[in-house]
Amino acid sequence: MKSLLISTLLLATPTWLLAQFGPRTPEQDSLMARQQRKTQADYRSMLAQLMITETRPGPSGNPKAPNAANADEAKATTYTSLPDPLTLKNGQKVKSAKDWWQKRRPEIVEDFDREIYGRVPANVPGVRWEVVSTKDTVDGAYPIKLKQLVGHVDNATYPAIKVDIELMLATPAKAKSGVPVMMSYGFRFPAGFRMPQPPSSTTAPPPLSWQQQLLEKGWGYAVIYPTSYQADNGAGLTEGIIGLVNKGKPRKPDDWGALRAWAWGASRALDYFETDKDVDAKQVGIEGLSRYGKATAVTMAYEPRFAIGFIGSSGEGGVKLHRRTYGEQVENVASSAEYHWMAGNFIKYAGPLKPTDMPVDAHELVALCAPRPVFISSGSPDVEGRWVDAKGMFLGGAYASPVYELLGKKGMGTMDYPPQETALVSGDIAFRQHSGGHTTGPNWPTFLQYADRYIRVKAK
Ligand code: GCU
């Protein structure tokens, strides 16, 4: 059990965080080696199913490497066109909201299901939520009611795999009725791990954490732990919720990947919120960073009950255009290190096909969120790095604008990429690059100002 925990922690941990942990023990090393062998075997069997013998390698994330990812804007636009979210496959233009909902949107969903993120199976078992503990406590100066929850997935059809969704919920202690809640996809950190904090100043008061900013407004917050129900590696694809539904067998090429599995869990958390009178379930938003930024975009696209999305540094596989030759590429996500996020079919676009062969692109993922508000967040290219491709994410939002406009909303409002710290928040698709690193942290105040236009604490 302990070793399982360690391996889950290590493999679920992105490299940018792993760097903070120091040396590994020999036990941890051998566990990782075993997991990697299992991942490689799963990857190879997926390539065999796809009848692919070779894939193109992605560029390096190290800007000094000889094969460094492109960071030159002049070389980024190697594509000549993007799929049009408002043209049907038969060539007809989509002119009405009805045609969007009944004809075009289902076409786009089908393409994303089959080629990019995979399909959620029809027979996913139900979840029984258990409130493990409820406690009155404080978060800083804010009295809260804190609940620890576990969603037990019914595994009667395959008892060898047990799946539990871990969730926590904090709501203002004095709230008289259900409050709006932002749910965050939470990374699991080893005991004692602390995120590096900005240097403290003796004059300025410590800034409010994102949780406290929410409590200050009378909202609550929740954290869902995606790796509790689907591991963040290829080795785990025959386990977790994906493995349970497949009865421990490997995926088919259009089966769901981890991003859709994580989003499925977020939907189940929302089912729970609908039963908890402390939550206003019609006003629940979702937030996540990096791989969980991708999961946030997928969640918003596929789950209409989420009211608002805060999509942090989602990069390739998120809202960054797949066709852009800048920063991380399709080939990277299609590699054995990251393919588990996606449908197996996604690997085809790293050989023999090309990203330009994709029937959809990331702007259409944003379009699937319409008409609900989405805030696309990024750090500073100089601090966060260019791997996430901030401009590619901006364009993913900007090119979704026509769909929002068709539905009577406002898109991004411009096609001009703004300077750092210039918030584009006049429309329903928002964008801001903060001046910090790989975090949504500095964008929370701007996100919350924007969210105020949509989400309200009900009068008591
Ligand atoms: C890597 C990966 C990204 C991902 C990030 C993370 O950098 O290439 O696609 O978003 O890890 O999740 O931390």
Side-chain angles (χ1 to χ4, degrees):
M1 185 59 211
K2 188 164 150 250
S3 58
L4 183 72
L5 187 70
I6 294 170
S7 75
T8 308
L9 286 174
L10 286 172
L11 284 152
T13 308
T15 31
W16 55 269
L17 268 176
L18 216 48
Q20 327 261 353
F21 296 151
R24 290 190 296 263
T25 65
E27 190 204 12
Q28 292 169 339
D29 273 342
S30 83
L31 268 163
M32 280 188 80
R34 218 176 312 143
Q35 290 270 25
Q36 274 159 9
R37 280 198 299 275
K38 203 174 163 201
T39 293
Q40 292 303 332
D42 182 85
Y43 188 67
R44 279 194 305 271
S45 88
M46 182 52 77
L47 292 185
Q49 283 194 64
L50 296 166
M51 291 185 287
I52 298 178
T53 45
E54 230 180 313
T55 55
R56 294 181 301 278
S60 170
N62 172 2
K64 299 205 178 78
N67 63 335
N70 178 44
D72 176 357
E73 190 50 46
K75 297 184 183 142
T77 315
T78 48
Y79 55 93
T80 51
S81 65
L82 290 174
D84 180 358
L86 291 180
T87 300
L88 286 163
K89 287 200 188 272
N90 67 11
Q92 278 171 12
K93 292 271 177 230
V94 175
K95 296 221 179 73
S96 67
K98 187 168 163 239
D99 281 354
W100 166 254
W101 291 112
Q102 293 186 357
K103 296 185 182 158
R104 181 59 179 144
R105 194 178 188 281
E107 285 184 349
I108 296 174
V109 167
E110 168 58 23
D111 285 341
F112 274 113
D113 276 0
R114 195 185 57 252
E115 303 295 309
I116 313 291
Y117 299 112
R119 302 180 198 281
V120 175
N123 59 338
V124 184
V127 174
R128 178 179 56 83
W129 282 99
E130 178 193 356
V131 183
V132 178
S133 67
T134 305
K135 162 161 127 190
D136 287 320
T137 178
V138 290
D139 184 332
Y142 304 90
I144 55 169
K145 188 195 278 189
L146 181 66
K147 290 185 192 131
Q148 301 292 345
L149 297 129
V150 174
H152 303 286
V153 182
D154 179 355
N155 65 345
T157 54
Y158 196 70
I161 296 178
K162 184 170 181 291
V163 184
D164 281 337
I165 306 173
E166 288 174 37
L167 173 71
M168 58 83 56
L169 168 69
T171 49
K174 295 198 185 78
K176 296 274 181 315
S177 58
V179 296
V181 166
M182 280 303 294
M183 181 163 75
S184 178
Y185 278 114
F187 287 97
R188 277 264 183 246
F189 302 128
F193 175 84
R194 291 186 75 82
M195 281 292 259
Q197 297 297 312
S200 64
S201 140
T202 43
T203 47
L208 294 182
S209 66
W210 64 268
Q211 294 93 330
Q212 293 161 357
Q213 292 173 53
L214 290 163
L215 296 168
E216 174 66 28
K217 297 167 65 65
W219 299 23
Y221 62 87
V223 181
I224 184 164
Y225 294 100
T227 53
S228 62
Y229 52 98
Q230 187 58 50
D232 191 3
N233 55 66
L237 289 169
T238 48
E239 299 157 20
I241 187 63
I242 297 177
L244 172 61
V245 179
N246 281 341
K247 300 196 165 62
K249 299 268 171 352
R251 296 187 300 167
K252 295 187 299 305
D254 65 344
D255 272 352
W256 50 345
L259 294 176
R260 285 213 70 188
W262 293 337
W264 165 86
S267 293
R268 301 296 69 80
L270 198 45
D271 297 343
Y272 166 77
F273 295 145
E274 287 178 342
T275 68
D276 185 327
K277 62 173 180 27
D278 292 333
V279 178
D280 178 354
K282 293 220 156 37
Q283 300 200 88
V284 175
I286 180 88
E287 180 263 3
L289 174 75
S290 213
R291 61 201 64 196
Y292 297 153
K294 307 182 208 302
T296 299
V298 171
T299 306
M300 281 299 288
Y302 280 97
E303 176 53 84
R305 292 176 297 163
F306 279 104
I308 191 165
F310 181 7
I311 304 170
S313 299
S314 60
E316 171 50 34
V319 303
K320 159 197 158 68
L321 295 177
H322 296 284
R323 281 164 171 75
R324 259 181 60 96
T325 314
Y326 191 105
E328 187 174 22
Q329 296 296 289
V330 165
E331 285 81 356
N332 299 99
V333 174
S335 75
S336 63
E338 301 181 352
Y339 76 106
H340 61 276
W341 293 336
M342 317 298 281
N345 272 333
F346 183 82
I347 305 173
K348 294 186 302 193
Y349 298 97
L353 301 177
K354 303 220 161 46
T356 44
D357 294 317
M358 286 182 175
V360 280
D361 211 313
H363 59 306
E364 292 170 297
L365 184 68
V366 179
L368 295 184
C369 305
R372 291 158 299 141
V374 288
F375 185 104
I376 297 170
S377 167
S378 159
S380 154
D382 296 326
V383 187
E384 180 174 46
R386 286 160 170 77
W387 189 240
V388 298
D389 185 9
K391 184 169 179 187
M393 296 190 282
F394 161 78
L395 292 172
Y399 283 117
S401 300
V403 175
Y404 275 72
E405 283 153 16
L406 179 78
L407 300 179
K409 299 286 175 177
K410 228 180 131 205
M412 189 84 89
T414 178
M415 290 308 288
D416 295 331
Y417 180 51
Q420 190 173 298
E421 293 197 310
T422 304
L424 299 178
V425 285
S426 65
D428 298 289
I429 308 171
F431 176 81
R432 184 173 187 266
Q433 273 179 91
H434 60 68
S435 59
H438 197 49
T439 166
T440 52
N443 267 348
W444 272 98
T446 315
F447 167 74
L448 288 174
Q449 268 173 21
Y450 157 82
D452 270 344
R453 299 211 306 261
Y454 305 94
I455 309 279
R456 294 272 150 72
V457 176
K458 291 209 183 98
K460 307 210 167 92

